[in-house]
Amino acid sequence: MKSLNDKDLFREAGLIGGKWVAAGSGRTVDVIDPATQLSVGTVPDMAGPETRAAIQTAACAYQDWKKKTQAERAALLEAWHGLMVKHLDDLALILTTEQGKPLDEARGEIRYGASFVKWFAEEARRINGHTIPAPTADRRIIVLKEPVGVCGIITPWNFPNAMITRKVAPALAAGCTVVIKPSEFTPYSALALGVLAERAGIPAGVINIVTGMPAEIGNEIMANETVRKISFTGSTRVGSLLMRGAADGVKRLSLELGGNAPFIVFDDADLDLAVEGALASKFRNGGQTCVCANRILVQAAVYEDFAAKLSARVNALTVGPGTQPGVAIGPMINMAAVEKISRHVEDALAKGATIVTEKPVLPEGPQYVAPLVLTGATARMQLAGEETFGPVAPLFRFETEEEAIALANGTPYGLASYFYTESLKRAWRVGEALEFGMVGLNTGSVSMEIAPFGGVKQSGLGREGAQAGIEEYLEMKSFHMGGLG
């Protein structure tokens, strides 16, 4: 990648035990720039043998890594964080080139990703056990916190930097070692983080990165008895497969899966604030986020005003290559994503929806999609029950608070939800009634390193971020000491 300041950050090899290696088969996978349809480069198409080697290497490294003091692990994470901040522009350019999001958004993701490394460097110093009053005078009971062991980390393409740091930072802070499988669409962000981890002094084998197609790598991570935990962000379908595959080994799981986020605008809402929140939630990363507003529910009294205000703002969004100044929405990740968006829009129009935004000028290239606001959305439409994962904002009309809650909760998913009201009483009623792991009141953002992130129902298990995030990588041991009387 010629335009990088530090060209050594661009690697076309996997990382196993401190060595940058190819696939034993010699096979490679092309990585395509979604803006240009041109090849960025290739990475090894690794499979079972390389994954087993990475797991074994991680197991060997674990023996020394878990013995390091909390302060030693914290210092290495701090050094890794500092290098991420130092190389922010290069990391952002790598991310935009392979994923497509605008450079300003990519820079934001690098800062966001680095914040988890900083946070868990600090949390590493606060892994505390506790004592329990004993039932007899000759006994003492101590509860210890110990690392889980080797962890398989499987990450998606939509946030190829932050989804790694959000998982790997707490794992390393807890004393675990990791084998990372990044998306085959966006492996270079992961590999660049591996380069910086080496420079930070994180020992060889603590972080291993296997690249390539997911099936054989995932099967090995599920079946290998050395792996004690799997952390995955992606679809509910794949999450269910991982649960089945991990069952024989009774592995611990953290799963951040699909969403179908409602965004509710009540008639007493600050409409300008709600429009800003809808823009941030729906159109960030071109709508390709698991927590983006998938269903915008607007109370009848303010429906037309909200639709007009949101449409005016969406009309001003520029679509284009992520490296181009002023672009708000880059290309979609692949043609499958484009086809799903088109299918949802066509289905909605056939069932009575109306496009109320202007048709923008799109750049050449098949993976650019126009941002849309649709009025007249109903529960009969495909986009009501499936994640569109694109820049399409469907507006559903509702009459009463009870109807809004029923519509919002009428999904098997429960990741993120949002609502806007100026009523304190309604804020508590609705906030407690929504069946989601995260609720945003008068904000379109619910993701940050200091708060737990995760869902309920078919949106997953476990939490990332906050103090809860490191607990996912720790086991609790009860240490009973007798004969002390």
Side-chain angles (χ1 to χ4, degrees):
M1 200 174 290
K2 296 179 181 179
S3 49
L4 293 176
N5 294 312
D6 185 344
K7 293 178 175 53
D8 193 45
L9 291 177
F10 183 74
R11 295 292 177 97
E12 294 182 278
L15 177 60
I16 299 177
K19 296 180 180 178
W20 293 90
V21 296
S25 66
R27 294 194 306 265
T28 60
V29 175
D30 284 322
V31 180
I32 304 300
D33 181 343
T36 65
Q37 308 298 300
L38 299 176
S39 175
V40 181
T42 64
V43 292
D45 187 10
M46 293 176 165
E50 294 85 7
T51 309
R52 282 191 292 277
I55 292 168
Q56 184 56 44
T57 297
C60 293
Y62 174 64
Q63 300 307 315
D64 290 330
W65 183 250
K66 70 178 180 179
K67 294 175 184 176
K68 287 190 178 293
T69 67
Q70 295 170 341
E72 287 172 330
R73 292 198 295 267
L76 289 168
L77 286 170
E78 290 274 9
W80 197 26
H81 168 266
L83 289 171
M84 291 178 197
V85 174
K86 178 180 178 181
H87 294 280
L88 184 148
D89 286 337
D90 276 349
L91 293 175
L93 182 57
I94 291 171
L95 196 161
T96 291
T97 302
E98 64 181 351
Q99 198 274 339
K101 69 179 59 175
L103 263 175
D104 281 347
E105 276 197 43
R107 293 186 186 100
E109 179 179 338
I110 304 305
R111 294 187 189 96
Y112 173 61
S115 73
F116 286 97
V117 180
K118 175 72 171 175
W119 173 266
F120 286 110
E122 296 164 353
E123 285 298 295
R125 303 175 188 273
R126 292 188 282 273
I127 300 173
N128 302 318
H130 61 275
T131 61
I132 296 174
T136 59
D138 65 341
R139 178 181 289 267
R140 300 292 183 272
I141 305 171
I142 300 173
V143 177
L144 306 174
K145 298 286 185 71
E146 297 182 345
V148 169
V150 176
C151 300
I153 307 294
I154 305 174
T155 58
W157 51 263
N158 56 345
F159 289 90
N161 176 286
M163 295 303 96
I164 289 175
T165 58
R166 196 163 78 179
K167 299 173 187 298
V168 172
L172 268 56
C176 301
T177 55
V178 300
V179 175
I180 303 169
K181 163 59 177 87
S183 168
E184 64 274 18
F185 297 120
T186 56
Y188 293 126
S189 290
L191 296 169
L193 288 174
V195 173
L196 296 182
E198 286 186 322
R199 293 182 189 176
I202 294 173
V206 172
I207 294 176
N208 304 276
I209 305 170
V210 288
T211 60
M213 302 306 289
E216 292 189 47
I217 295 172
N219 287 337
E220 182 64 33
I221 288 173
M222 286 188 290
N224 195 301
E225 293 182 359
T226 301
V227 176
R228 295 308 315 144
K229 176 185 172 67
I230 298 173
S231 180
F232 168 74
T233 295
S235 71
T236 297
R237 181 187 65 83
V238 174
S240 296
L241 292 173
L242 287 171
M243 288 188 76
R244 293 187 187 97
D248 287 344
V250 196
K251 301 182 192 299
R252 287 185 63 173
L253 290 168
S254 294
L255 301 174
E256 195 256 284
L257 307 177
N260 188 3
F263 186 101
I264 308 171
V265 182
F266 287 104
D267 57 11
D268 64 342
D270 180 330
L271 289 192
D272 291 328
L273 186 65
V275 167
E276 291 298 327
L279 281 169
S281 176
K282 174 70 260 183
F283 295 99
R284 181 186 297 117
N285 197 21
Q288 299 175 112
T289 82
C290 54
V291 295
C292 76
N294 200 56
R295 300 168 293 149
I296 301 179
L297 315 177
V298 186
Q299 201 156 15
V302 295
Y303 187 93
E304 301 300 336
D305 286 347
F306 181 84
K309 286 175 178 287
L310 180 61
S311 298
R313 294 297 303 277
V314 172
N315 286 337
L317 298 178
T318 301
V319 180
T323 52
Q324 183 176 306
V327 164
I329 297 177
M332 300 297 100
I333 188 65
N334 57 23
M335 284 307 299
V338 174
E339 289 162 6
K340 182 179 184 182
I341 294 164
S342 298
R343 187 169 67 250
H344 278 193
V345 172
E346 290 168 6
D347 173 77
L349 295 177
K351 293 175 180 175
T354 302
I355 298 173
V356 293
T357 39
E358 299 168 0
K359 187 174 182 179
V361 176
L362 297 179
E364 290 186 10
Q367 290 176 211
Y368 292 103
V369 171
L372 301 177
V373 175
L374 297 173
T375 57
T378 70
R380 298 184 303 110
M381 297 172 183
Q382 290 178 5
L383 49 68
E386 302 174 11
E387 278 186 295
T388 301
F389 239 61
V392 178
L395 306 189
F396 298 74
R397 187 188 302 264
F398 71 89
E399 298 288 343
T400 67
E401 181 180 310
E402 293 74 20
E403 182 187 359
I405 292 170
L407 286 168
N409 289 340
T411 172
Y413 303 102
L415 188 57
S417 57
Y418 312 87
F419 71 104
Y420 282 72
T421 181
E422 295 293 287
S423 166
L424 180 61
K425 292 181 179 179
R426 173 175 278 164
W428 278 108
R429 284 196 308 268
V430 176
E432 292 177 348
L434 288 170
E435 298 170 350
F436 295 82
M438 295 172 288
V439 179
L441 167 63
N442 294 335
T443 177
S445 174
V446 293
S447 182
M448 55 195 68
E449 78 281 8
I450 60 176
F453 186 102
V456 298
K457 301 191 286 187
Q458 291 185 28
S459 287
L461 305 168
R463 294 295 182 269
E464 296 180 326
Q467 194 273 336
I470 202 166
E471 293 292 335
E472 297 283 338
Y473 296 90
L474 293 168
E475 295 283 17
M476 190 179 296
K477 178 186 284 183
S478 296
F479 186 22
H480 296 256
M481 294 178 285
L484 300 177

